[in-house]
Amino acid sequence: MTGYLGSYATLGLLLLASVLVFVGAFAANRVLRPASPAEPPGKRASYECGLDPVGSDWAQMQIRYYVYAYLYVLFAVEAVFLFPWAVVFDKPGFGLVTVVEMAIFVAVLALGILYAWRKNILRWTQ
């Protein structure tokens, strides 16, 4: 399939194949499913950890969960920046300037963890 319309023909064949796979999957589902699925007792009841739900549907979340998640994401993303530096550091031309830049970066990380430590953010119970 060459020429001006060749790429359009390829795209058309790809779209046709994807539609056939889609229709085939739904047809196989309809053929292979049970005629009348079982409805065991309690199937549509609320389920929570194997226990019957008690209380209201509104519960207040503590902020510390979000703080831990935020700190984890913050330090995980910043730790990702350490890997490319470690790979590039061995190459020629990266000398004292690179070490100083990384020292500043790690110092900012250390200040952040020190701040969290001093404010007792990392303590689970207060």
Side-chain angles (χ1 to χ4, degrees), residues 75 78 100-114:
F75 286 109
E78 288 179 349
V100 170
E101 286 176 353
M102 189 49 64
I104 292 170
F105 181 74
V106 171
V108 170
L109 281 176
L111 282 174
I113 195 78
L114 183 66

Side-chain angles (χ1 to χ4, degrees), residues 39-126:
E39 189 73 35
K43 180 176 182 177
R44 301 199 186 275
S46 297
Y47 181 74
E48 184 178 331
C49 302
L51 303 173
D52 290 333
V54 291
S56 66
D57 57 350
W58 185 85
Q60 186 175 2
M61 291 292 293
Q62 300 227 358
I63 191 69
R64 75 172 65 120
Y65 301 123
Y66 299 107
V67 170
Y68 272 98
Y70 177 72
L71 286 173
Y72 171 76
V73 169
L74 179 73
F75 286 109
V77 168
E78 288 179 349
V80 167
F81 289 120
L82 292 173
F83 181 74
W85 175 81
V87 170
V88 171
F89 180 69
D90 194 27
K91 304 233 188 283
F94 296 95
L96 185 63
V97 174
T98 308
V99 173
V100 170
E101 286 176 353
M102 189 49 64
I104 292 170
F105 181 74
V106 171
V108 170
L109 281 176
L111 282 174
I113 195 78
L114 183 66
Y115 176 78
W117 191 293
R118 299 278 280 162
K119 292 289 186 176
N120 286 332
I121 293 173
L122 300 176
R123 188 164 302 188
W124 187 253
T125 58
Q126 294 183 8

